Amino acid sequence: MGVNKHRLSRSSRGKRKRVIQLEKVSDFRMRLVFLSLVIGIFGLGGRLAWLQLFQSSALEARARSFQTDFTKPLGRRRSIVDRMGRLVALDEKRYRLWAHPRYFNFPGDDPALIRKPVDVARKLSGLIPMSMSEIVQRLGDRPSGVKLAEGLDQDKALLLKGLGISGLDLEPYPQRVYPQGDLFANVVGFLNHDRVPQAGLEQSLNSEMLRYEQPLTLRRGADGTPLPDDLAPGLFFGDDMRMQLTMDARLQQVAMEALAQGVSRWSAKKGVAIVMDVANGEMLALASTPTYDPNKYWRFPPSRFREWSVQDLFEPGSTFKPINLALALQEGVIEEGDTVFDEGRVDVGGWPLYNNDRVSHGVIDYPKLLQVSSNVGMVKTMQKLSPDLYWDWLQKLGVNSIPETDLPGAVAGQLKTKKQFVLQTIEPATAAFGQGFSLTPLKLAQLHALIANGGYLVRPRITRGLTLQDASSEKTQLLEPEVTNTIRQWMESVVTAGSGKGVKTPGYRIGGKTGTAQKAVNGIYQPGAKICSFVAILPIDSPRFVVLVVVDEPRGSNAYGSTVATPVAKMIIDGLLAIEKIPPTSKRSDSQSSNG
């Protein structure tokens, strides 16, 4: 019994000892857990504090980058339209097709499956302008970033998207398109492959042609819904403004066809035709040939990209005679009923000067002088005006100044210095019949608009809306209305009884003047080379338009202003009368013109 009691006592003590040990272990563990929790809480709190105080901006930026869609502007340009709203130039959305072979996968495939390039090429060959073998060759063994095609239109893009092939990417971009082809190329210009303007209005008005665009930044919620906060002002603003031309595509087409026929018939080097509204300087047509197609500009020589009506100079010849007579009338050195004796030749400073036909016309009045285009009569007339005053007038008219115009690249004419002009008597003598100085066709049209509108010098322009909006009110009067009215009557006689008969139109009163001038290059006259021209004002009783045609270097012994330029002008005038719906002259006015 004693032994058993002793054993029980030892067993109880052992149990109590183990319980005490377990209690100590549990207490230690509790304290360890508690300490760990405390450290964790303090660590988490510290981390939260760190993130909130020091990294909140960076984290917010990262969150916004995931929540925000950023779209870069395409760099679109404004459309260009003619005066009637017909499209001349516009941006159309095109697509480039990029391939990333390492991601090739068809709809329904195992996501881990990578299709071979030949599989994709088989589906693409009918949709892009490449054969299956060409596509496979282009892809090669490149893993990504292979450009397969560009210039794809919206319909092709939709078909390609419909294939659902992973690893194909369509990149949108704007492409400049000129739906009128070569019709306006000489004034509008073009953009090259990198969308850099190279000529015409596209270049000179580049900043005005750019649409208002800004990067599109839009925040979305977790479900993709656009969030209305933080929207930039003007985010959804649509810039639909267009650049409107003063030109009429219908009349431009008539002028281009007429000019091309004339230049081709006479195997000429080039030609230009201008139709200008005399009241405000707006040009309804400005055609030149040869020209180019801005949609395929790379096929043409760069020399075609210049608009020579504003950049090339020529000696106007007899088409300047009405301008000179207006100066003589303005200064009072001649009067409406005066006459001049034309003996066929006049000597000036030891130089003999002749009429173009080498004929003596005797005593002639000024309408007759213009009808026969007498050089001798013009020399004698302008000798009545002092060379000093004559030069001042030529400068006042802006012969040697760059005309104020929105046409790109306009240049100044060339005029001898005042000292040369005054001291060398041959200079004012040759200037009397339009030689010895030079100007652009645009300037000549502007000066005849001065005769047509009562003496006001208007600013030639081809754009409306975005630039030169008030140009119609900016005009300077240089000549008296009575003077210009007299000149118009004299010019009408050229059409009714002189070298301008080719533009006679039943029911309409038209004034005009032909010109045939020797061509000078760098001040040296070229043997046999001519510049033939014709200028018309219509209707004479209520002038609205000036029509000018200039043809450079027509070939043939019978090449004159009356034979080369006048038929072109006639075709343009017929189109102008119809398009502008100009009513015929009244019977009373018509009978008056026939008696004059």
Side-chain angles (χ1 to χ4, degrees):
M1 286 292 290
V3 174
N4 290 335
K5 288 182 179 180
H6 179 69
R7 289 178 177 173
L8 288 173
S9 176
R10 288 179 60 187
S11 176
S12 297
R13 285 197 300 271
K15 288 180 180 179
R16 283 197 300 270
K17 186 176 181 180
R18 284 196 295 272
V19 170
I20 291 170
Q21 288 177 343
L22 290 173
E23 287 177 351
K24 288 182 179 180
V25 169
S26 297
D27 185 55
F28 174 75
R29 287 178 177 172
M30 288 289 293
R31 290 184 181 185
L32 183 61
V33 170
F34 177 75
L35 181 61
S36 299
L37 289 174
V38 170
I39 292 173
I41 291 173
F42 275 103
L44 182 60
R47 179 61 176 167
L48 290 174
W50 172 264
L51 294 175
Q52 187 67 29
L53 296 177
F54 299 101
Q55 289 194 310
S56 60
S57 299
L59 292 172
E60 183 180 7
R62 286 188 64 188
R64 285 187 180 276
S65 68
F66 287 113
Q67 299 168 353
T68 304
D69 288 336
F70 178 82
T71 304
K72 184 180 178 180
L74 292 178
R76 298 180 304 151
R77 297 171 72 85
R78 303 183 194 280
S79 297
I80 302 177
V81 297
D82 79 343
R83 69 191 291 121
M84 305 302 292
R86 300 179 188 87
L87 280 169
V88 175
L90 72 155
D91 274 353
E92 288 188 350
K93 185 180 282 189
R94 293 286 191 268
Y95 295 86
R96 295 185 184 94
L97 177 63
W98 295 89
H100 311 284
R102 64 183 175 185
Y103 300 119
F104 281 167
N105 188 272
F106 290 173
D109 283 350
D110 184 332
L113 176 64
I114 303 299
R115 287 280 186 169
K116 294 179 180 180
V118 68
D119 297 330
V120 175
R122 187 176 293 110
K123 289 183 175 289
L124 294 181
S125 59
L127 297 177
I128 64 175
M130 295 176 69
S131 67
M132 193 173 87
S133 59
E134 289 174 330
I135 296 173
V136 172
Q137 184 177 2
R138 177 74 63 86
L139 292 172
D141 56 357
R142 296 167 62 184
S144 183
V146 182
K147 184 168 73 172
L148 291 179
E150 62 181 342
L152 301 173
D153 59 24
Q154 188 77 26
D155 293 337
K156 282 289 177 65
L158 289 174
L159 290 173
L160 289 167
K161 287 180 181 178
L163 296 176
I165 300 175
S166 298
L168 293 181
D169 181 28
L170 286 166
E171 175 195 3
Y173 68 94
Q175 179 169 304
R176 202 64 165 169
V177 177
Y178 303 92
Q180 304 287 345
D182 62 1
L183 195 58
F184 292 93
N186 58 318
V187 294
V188 171
F190 65 94
L191 305 186
N192 67 11
H193 185 74
D194 297 320
R195 289 183 64 79
V196 177
Q198 297 297 303
L201 293 176
E202 294 276 31
Q203 185 177 50
S204 65
L205 300 180
N206 183 46
S207 58
E208 290 89 341
M209 292 303 302
L210 297 175
R211 288 185 185 274
Y212 173 80
E213 290 183 311
Q214 60 177 339
L216 181 61
T217 304
L218 188 64
R219 289 187 64 197
R220 296 183 181 275
D223 60 353
T225 303
L227 301 177
D229 60 326
D230 295 332
L231 293 181
L235 180 64
F236 298 108
F237 171 72
D239 182 359
D240 293 325
M241 295 182 68
R242 303 182 299 179
M243 174 68 72
Q244 186 174 33
L245 304 180
T246 64
M247 301 167 68
D248 189 316
R250 298 168 298 174
L251 188 60
Q252 181 76 354
Q253 183 70 46
V254 171
M256 282 286 290
E257 291 178 358
L259 190 63
Q261 289 180 24
V263 168
S264 176
R265 178 184 175 187
W266 293 94
S267 301
K269 193 174 181 180
K270 57 189 176 183
V272 65
I274 296 174
V275 179
M276 182 184 291
D277 187 320
V278 303
N280 53 24
E282 289 187 353
M283 281 178 278
L284 280 72
L286 176 55
S288 63
T289 189
T291 183
Y292 66 98
D293 185 349
N295 296 300
K296 303 172 183 177
Y297 63 88
W298 57 88
R299 297 183 179 178
F300 300 87
S303 58
R304 298 271 185 100
F305 305 156
R306 299 175 69 253
E307 174 44 46
W308 78 278
S309 67
V310 296
Q311 295 178 338
D312 287 2
L313 303 177
F314 79 111
E315 296 190 359
S318 295
T319 49
F320 203 82
K321 288 174 181 175
I323 310 296
N324 279 329
L325 291 179
L327 301 182
L329 276 172
Q330 179 74 23
E331 289 299 325
V333 297
I334 63 170
E335 294 182 358
E336 186 174 348
D338 286 354
T339 60
V340 62
F341 180 62
D342 173 9
E343 64 265 56
R345 167 179 169 164
V346 61
D347 293 305
V348 178
W351 295 87
L353 301 175
Y354 300 91
N355 291 328
N356 184 62
D357 55 10
R358 301 298 179 105
V359 173
S360 172
H361 298 286
V363 177
I364 54 175
D365 59 12
Y366 286 108
K368 186 68 175 180
L369 182 152
L370 289 180
Q371 292 168 32
V372 300
S373 202
S374 170
N375 291 342
V376 173
M378 284 302 306
V379 172
K380 289 188 172 184
T381 298
M382 298 312 292
Q383 284 177 337
K384 297 179 181 181
L385 190 65
S386 73
D388 184 87
L389 186 56
Y390 187 10
W391 189 92
D392 287 344
W393 264 110
L394 293 176
Q395 187 180 51
K396 188 183 296 186
L397 292 175
V399 168
N400 59 343
S401 301
I402 298 176
E404 293 186 57
T405 178
D406 55 1
L407 276 160
V411 299
Q414 292 180 350
L415 180 65
K416 297 294 193 301
T417 65
K418 188 171 186 178
K419 183 177 180 181
Q420 288 176 304
F421 197 86
V422 171
L423 296 180
Q424 299 176 15
T425 55
I426 191 63
E427 294 300 337
T430 55
F433 50 86
Q435 299 215 223
F437 68 94
S438 57
L439 40 64
T440 62
L442 176 72
K443 186 64 185 180
L444 184 59
Q446 181 193 35
L447 293 180
H448 276 280
L450 175 86
I451 299 297
N453 66 21
Y456 291 90
L457 194 66
V458 295
R459 297 172 63 179
R461 59 192 181 115
I462 58 171
T463 60
R464 286 177 170 177
L466 294 178
T467 58
L468 296 176
Q469 293 178 341
D470 301 322
S472 60
S473 62
E474 297 180 20
K475 49 188 181 182
T476 305
Q477 185 164 20
L478 298 179
L479 300 176
E480 295 296 329
E482 296 78 13
V483 167
T484 58
N485 183 60
T486 298
I487 298 298
R488 291 197 301 272
Q489 303 300 320
W490 293 352
M491 291 178 69
E492 184 180 15
S493 75
V494 175
V495 174
T496 58
S499 59
K501 289 180 180 178
V503 298
K504 283 184 71 172
T505 304
Y508 292 91
R509 297 178 61 189
I510 300 172
K513 184 69 189 81
T514 56
T516 307
Q518 292 175 277
K519 182 176 180 179
V521 178
N522 298 323
I524 300 174
Y525 290 105
Q526 305 300 300
K530 303 175 182 177
I531 294 182
C532 297
S533 57
F534 180 79
V535 63
I537 295 174
L538 69 148
I540 282 294
D541 48 322
S542 181
R544 290 180 57 188
F545 301 105
V546 162
V547 177
L548 173 66
V549 174
V550 182
V551 179
D552 184 17
E553 289 193 40
R555 297 180 182 180
S557 58
N558 194 38
Y560 301 103
S562 59
T563 58
V564 176
T566 301
V568 176
K570 170 61 174 171
M571 294 176 65
I572 296 173
I573 289 171
D574 288 346
L576 177 63
L577 293 174
I579 291 170
E580 289 297 313
K581 298 180 174 60
I582 301 174
T585 304
S586 65
K587 291 183 179 180
R588 180 183 176 189
S589 297
D590 207 33
S591 64
Q592 288 176 344
S593 69
S594 63
N595 294 330

